[in-house]
Amino acid sequence: MNIAYGIGFICGLIFVVAAAFIIRKLIFRKKAVYDERQKIEQGKACKAGFYFLLAYCLCFGFADNIFDFRFTQLPIMFGGALISVMIYAVYCIWKEAYFPINQSSIKWIVLLIAIGGINIFVAVMNRSVNMESSIINGMCAAMILIISVISLIKLLIVRRSCHEESET
């Protein structure tokens, strides 16, 4: 690793930490509060994601031994971890346990879309420099944007059902 890359990495890390701190202080002032039902559903979602990851690693391990894949394993294993995180998130979103009860879900969805967009930008910028890094950033962007879309769909479903209940 050359010095310019290391300095760029450290500057990027400092920027991300500073941006996260500023976003936390300005947008999400209240501490996240979850009720008992949400915590129970989060536990179930965590279990589902964990069991998927175990099965994924087991299947990939057998497949790698049998077929001897010719490409790097990092994106494949990272993909399994991303899918398990996505299982957790989607389960929690559908059970209405993903967003805190005392914070606006719109703020979180906008933040997720912004992070997904940043990951797409980084993936495109890295494709000529480091293809493996570009693939991993693209997978992160896909996961975050899928979670964002599912969150928006669930938000629309909840709002529609609330609107229909208020009419009757």
Side-chain angles (χ1 to χ4, degrees):
M1 178 168 69
N2 64 25
I3 293 175
Y5 182 82
I7 292 171
F9 178 80
I10 291 170
C11 290
L13 189 62
I14 291 170
F15 174 77
V16 168
V17 169
F21 182 75
I22 291 169
I23 288 171
R24 171 84 171 117
K25 290 294 181 189
L26 293 179
I27 298 175
F28 303 107
R29 292 184 181 131
K30 300 176 192 171
K31 184 179 179 196
V33 175
Y34 297 96
D35 61 12
E36 286 182 22
R37 181 197 58 80
Q38 287 178 308
K39 289 181 180 180
I40 290 169
E41 294 300 338
Q42 288 172 351
K44 291 177 184 177
C46 186
K47 190 186 318 183
F50 176 71
Y51 285 141
F52 170 82
L53 185 60
L54 286 178
Y56 182 89
C57 289
L58 182 68
C59 292
F60 180 72
F62 282 131
D64 189 38
N65 281 335
I66 293 170
F67 299 113
D68 190 29
F69 294 126
R70 299 266 182 234
F71 47 89
T72 181
Q73 296 177 357
L74 180 65
I76 293 172
M77 294 310 293
F78 193 75
L82 287 178
I83 293 169
S84 67
V85 168
M86 198 163 49
I87 288 171
Y88 170 82
V90 169
Y91 185 95
C92 287
I93 289 166
W94 282 112
K95 298 294 184 171
E96 297 178 6
Y98 194 63
F99 300 111
I101 59 175
N102 65 335
Q103 294 178 358
S104 170
S105 59
I106 294 293
K107 289 180 183 179
W108 285 103
I109 294 170
V110 169
L111 183 62
L112 286 172
I113 291 170
I115 292 170
I118 290 169
N119 272 299
I120 289 172
F121 176 75
V122 171
V124 170
M125 295 303 291
N126 279 343
R127 85 174 166 229
S128 63
V129 178
N130 186 348
M131 193 57 157
E132 187 175 88
S133 174
S134 179
I135 290 169
I136 290 173
N137 277 315
M139 291 184 334
C140 287
M143 178 199 68
I144 291 170
L145 293 175
I146 288 170
I147 290 171
S148 302
V149 168
I150 291 172
S151 298
L152 284 171
I153 291 169
K154 182 62 177 178
L155 183 66
L156 291 173
I157 290 170
V158 168
R159 285 193 176 172
R160 179 175 285 180
S161 67
C162 289
H163 180 68
E164 290 173 358
E165 287 178 8
S166 67
E167 287 181 350
T168 57

